[in-house]
Amino acid sequence: MKKLSVWFLLIALLATVSVAWCAEVPYLTGRVNDNARILSEHARDLLSEKLKGHEERTTNQVVVLTIPSLQGENIEDYSNKVFIEWGLGQQELDNGILIIVVPDERRMRIEVGYGLEGTLTDLLANRIIREVMTPKFRDGDFDGGITEGALAVINVLEGQELAETADFEESSDSPSISGFSDLESPDMSLGARILMGAFIFGIIGLFTVLGLFTPGFGWFLYFFLIPFWAMFPIMVIGSKATLVVFLIYLIGYPAAKLYMRTTPWYKKAKNDLRTKGRASIGGFTFSSGGSGGSWSSGSSGSSGGFSGGGGSSGGGGSSGRW
């Protein structure tokens, strides 16, 4: 029982640390929020005027955010979180755009609101990142990259064509919906995701299996593990896939538990606990106390006069690096 308590303590500590590492959403101070301090004053003023003029002509809200680091958080999830908290775009139109640049991690993303996904498609957002912003960033020109990228977004939203470039290859970095491409996050390599996944799923998976195979104590573990299945997988597979996994756990665990109750070995273990006070399952010895069950291993004994209009984003857009 002491070992089980130690594992629970480690999981709770990991949960606390992971929350602390997440980047916070900054205050919305205007159309250009240069928290990373990479833009000149002239570029900020010029870009603010351009974005203000576009909003007055179209009601579209295009906002720029620079932040030094995401502290390990996925840029897609973070940009969506910022978009929602700031409420970019008009509520009835969902016509907001967020351009986010993370210089310390060499990452960027254009997050597109629901209402503009048909105009600024994922493909066009990806082209702006690759053809307009990336070359400037590689030369250390943040003023040029962010300004020209934002102006390219404005031009597309106002019906102008995005110029073709000879070296554009749609297949190399365009957004994909395949399961394998989702594993290669902009913020974490495939190898790192595999290692992190082995750690996370190894821990919560172990307790899930123990809950399934343990008479009596299993239902406590089912409810105890719900928040862990809802939160930890996000770091490895993203929020959408985590939702699927979470629903599978919510439904699959009780179904499997009810099925196992009908198996002979489970009935025998339950009977042994009731009559002998202990039962051996898969190398683990479970014992029952006066008021519950315990187990042990057999082998070890905002401000600034500007605010969002309440719009939302469906996760459309594109990410890139330089």
Side-chain angles (χ1 to χ4, degrees):
M1 194 64 184
K2 291 182 178 180
K3 292 184 178 181
L4 182 61
S5 300
V6 171
W7 274 109
F8 287 162
L9 181 61
L10 289 175
I11 293 175
L13 180 61
L14 178 60
T16 303
V17 172
S18 65
V19 171
W21 279 349
C22 292
E24 295 182 354
V25 176
Y27 290 110
L28 176 63
T29 58
R31 294 174 178 85
V32 181
N33 303 266
D34 185 25
N35 290 26
R37 304 290 183 182
I38 58 176
L39 293 174
S40 66
E41 183 178 354
H42 173 72
R44 288 196 299 268
D45 292 343
L46 175 63
L47 190 51
S48 294
E49 287 302 316
K50 294 290 185 181
L51 298 178
K52 179 181 179 182
H54 173 71
E55 182 174 348
E56 291 174 347
R57 293 191 299 271
T58 65
T59 74
N60 299 332
Q61 281 190 335
V62 182
V63 174
V64 174
L65 168 65
T66 71
I67 183 172
S69 172
L70 297 177
Q71 302 177 15
E73 189 169 356
N74 182 286
I75 194 170
E76 285 84 1
D77 292 339
Y78 179 75
S79 60
N80 188 260
K81 179 170 65 177
V82 173
F83 198 109
I84 293 174
E85 186 162 326
W86 283 359
L88 301 182
Q90 309 306 316
Q91 186 170 13
E92 66 279 5
L93 299 175
D94 290 327
N95 57 342
I97 301 284
L98 174 64
I99 302 173
I100 181 170
V101 178
V102 189
D104 290 357
E105 300 174 10
R106 305 171 72 88
R107 303 301 313 174
M108 58 188 137
R109 177 167 175 81
I110 299 176
E111 185 80 13
V112 183
Y114 278 121
L116 296 177
E117 289 181 348
T119 304
L120 184 60
T121 63
D122 291 357
L123 179 60
L124 286 174
N126 182 261
R127 286 189 55 195
I128 292 173
I129 287 176
R130 293 192 59 221
E131 300 177 22
V132 179
M133 301 175 71
T134 297
K136 295 289 185 179
F137 289 169
R138 286 175 177 170
D139 292 336
D141 184 7
F142 289 108
D143 281 3
I146 294 176
T147 300
E148 293 183 17
L151 292 179
V153 169
I154 290 175
N155 289 339
V156 171
L157 295 179
E158 295 185 357
Q160 300 182 36
E161 295 290 334
L162 186 63
E164 297 286 346
T165 60
D167 61 348
F168 175 66
E169 298 176 4
E170 177 181 338
S171 61
S172 60
D173 286 321
S174 59
S176 170
I177 59 173
S178 74
F180 293 103
S181 66
D182 287 344
L183 290 176
E184 194 64 46
S185 165
D187 297 319
M188 191 181 297
S189 66
L190 179 59
R193 282 190 164 234
I194 292 175
L195 294 175
M196 181 65 75
F199 174 72
I200 292 175
F201 289 108
I203 292 177
I204 59 179
L206 171 64
F207 285 102
T208 299
V209 172
L210 286 175
L212 288 172
F213 284 80
T214 307
F217 191 61
W219 290 112
F220 166 78
L221 279 178
Y222 170 66
F223 291 105
F224 179 82
L225 291 173
I226 285 178
F228 297 101
W229 278 108
M231 181 180 68
F232 284 153
I234 294 178
M235 295 184 287
V236 181
I237 58 178
S239 57
K240 294 181 180 178
T242 296
L243 178 60
V244 175
V245 172
F246 180 62
L247 292 176
I248 291 175
Y249 171 78
L250 287 180
I251 300 172
Y253 187 108
K257 187 73 173 177
L258 293 174
Y259 168 75
M260 288 183 180
R261 293 177 61 181
T262 65
T263 60
W265 62 266
Y266 191 97
K267 292 179 179 179
K268 181 179 183 300
K270 185 176 182 179
N271 183 67
D272 287 345
L273 279 175
R274 185 172 60 251
T275 59
K276 302 178 182 179
R278 59 187 300 168
S280 180
I281 302 175
F284 289 92
T285 299
F286 300 86
S287 60
S288 61
S291 61
S294 63
W295 65 271
S296 61
S297 170
S299 60
S300 64
S302 164
S303 60
F306 176 79
S307 63
S312 60
S313 167
S318 182
S319 306
R321 71 185 317 146
W322 69 91

